[in-house]
Amino acid sequence: MELKKFITDSERAMKSYGTVQGTEWQTDKAQPDVSMVDSTMSPDEIEMEMARIQRLREVLVRRESELRFMMDDIQLCKDIMKLKQELRKIVAVPEQEKTNKHRQREEELILKIHKLVQKRDFLVDDAEVERLSLEIKCFAKAGARPQCWTRLIGNRRRIRRWQNS
């Protein structure tokens, strides 16, 4: 009911925005407000629905995480390609014609590319850890021990070392 009230209030604010006079609102009298008190669902059905909603939420959170990873990965790849193109232009200049500014910029570009590649590697490792931990959860629910356990622990240690440095 609160959500419906919020939506109607926000719609009212949006439709009346910029108008001097109020707007007449039509309400659907055939559709009464729904309350959980009036619900015919049993407590078990409510619990099952809550569990289903929780699983759906977990799936959506995982998907959001995957999409964020993909966006970060694409952006890092774009940045790396841009830096590589600039580096190619500098490398194309004959060594005799290069100034100290060219050499310095070449070194800077190499270092930037190296840092971005490292960042992307850790991003990929982090995604792998996430995938493996999900795999472990699935195996744990099934009562089995996954083969990837030692790989997961090694990746987590490596990521922690990188975060602490």
Side-chain angles (χ1 to χ4, degrees), residues 14-151:
M14 287 182 353
K15 290 185 180 179
S16 65
Y17 177 78
T19 62
V20 178
Q21 299 172 347
T23 305
E24 196 63 36
W25 294 99
Q26 305 234 347
T27 57
D28 189 5
K29 301 294 183 191
Q31 290 284 339
D33 290 338
V34 177
S35 170
M36 287 304 289
V37 176
D38 300 333
S39 177
T40 57
M41 292 176 71
S42 71
D44 290 338
E45 290 172 327
I46 292 172
E47 284 181 25
M48 286 176 23
E49 182 69 12
M50 287 294 291
R52 188 187 67 79
I53 291 171
Q54 183 62 31
R55 285 191 304 275
L56 179 61
R57 182 184 171 280
E58 289 171 3
V59 167
L60 291 173
V61 166
R62 266 196 310 274
R63 183 65 179 150
E64 179 189 19
S65 177
E66 291 169 1
L67 291 173
R68 286 184 189 278
F69 160 75
M70 290 166 64
M71 286 175 34
D72 291 345
D73 186 43
I74 289 168
Q75 187 59 48
L76 284 171
C77 288
K78 284 181 181 179
D79 293 346
I80 290 169
M81 291 305 294
K82 191 170 81 172
L83 292 173
K84 281 183 174 182
Q85 287 175 348
E86 189 177 343
L87 183 61
R88 282 189 198 108
K89 289 177 186 175
I90 294 174
V91 170
V93 175
E95 201 60 41
Q96 300 83 9
E97 297 176 18
K98 284 186 184 176
T99 63
N100 284 339
K101 188 176 179 180
H102 281 111
R103 289 184 182 91
Q104 184 180 5
R105 182 66 182 152
E106 187 176 342
E107 287 297 318
E108 287 173 8
L109 289 172
I110 291 171
L111 287 174
K112 283 183 181 180
I113 291 170
H114 181 70
K115 281 185 179 182
L116 287 176
V117 168
Q118 276 186 326
K119 191 174 184 178
R120 185 174 181 275
D121 286 347
F122 284 116
L123 184 68
V124 169
D125 285 347
D126 192 38
E128 179 71 5
V129 166
E130 222 175 282
R131 185 188 67 75
L132 290 174
S133 65
L134 177 64
E135 202 174 291
I136 286 174
K137 285 179 188 175
C138 291
F139 277 112
K141 283 182 182 176
R145 185 172 178 172
Q147 298 295 324
C148 61
W149 184 259
T150 55
R151 211 166 93 197

